[in-house]
Structure formats: C-alpha cells, structure tokens
Amino acid sequence: MLNSKEMRDNMSAITMSDTAYTEFKQFLDENKVDNYNIRINLAGIG
C-alpha cells in the first residue's frame, strides 16, 4: 500500500486542496477501500 506522500505524488493529474484530499482519503478508508487505484468519471466537464 502506498504511503500518503507516494499517493499524492501519483495524483499529479488532478489538483485537490489538502482539506479535500484528507476528506476523500478518510471516505475511502471508512468504506474499507483496499486499493487506492480508482477511476473517477467527471460527466459534463469540457
């Protein structure tokens, strides 16, 4: 499993505030997501 720094380095394709990052990671942890390799589809962007 990646540590927080490695995970943030791998997320360079998106911009996220520290607060949003912390809340999103907490959401994943609370829902027992065991792999942080996820895909998010932003419908209607662009």
Side-chain angles (χ1 to χ4, degrees):
M1 183 178 290
L2 298 176
N3 67 37
S4 292
K5 171 142 179 29
E6 291 169 328
M7 187 172 160
R8 298 243 17 203
D9 290 346
N10 287 335
M11 291 178 35
S12 62
I14 64 170
T15 301
M16 182 181 290
S17 71
D18 289 340
T19 301
Y21 168 81
T22 301
E23 290 179 9
F24 187 62
K25 185 173 181 310
Q26 182 178 3
F27 170 79
L28 295 176
D29 292 341
E30 287 173 357
N31 288 283
K32 298 177 178 59
V33 175
D34 60 354
N35 183 343
Y36 295 130
N37 186 15
I38 60 174
R39 180 176 295 185
I40 299 172
N41 182 13
L42 300 175
I45 302 296

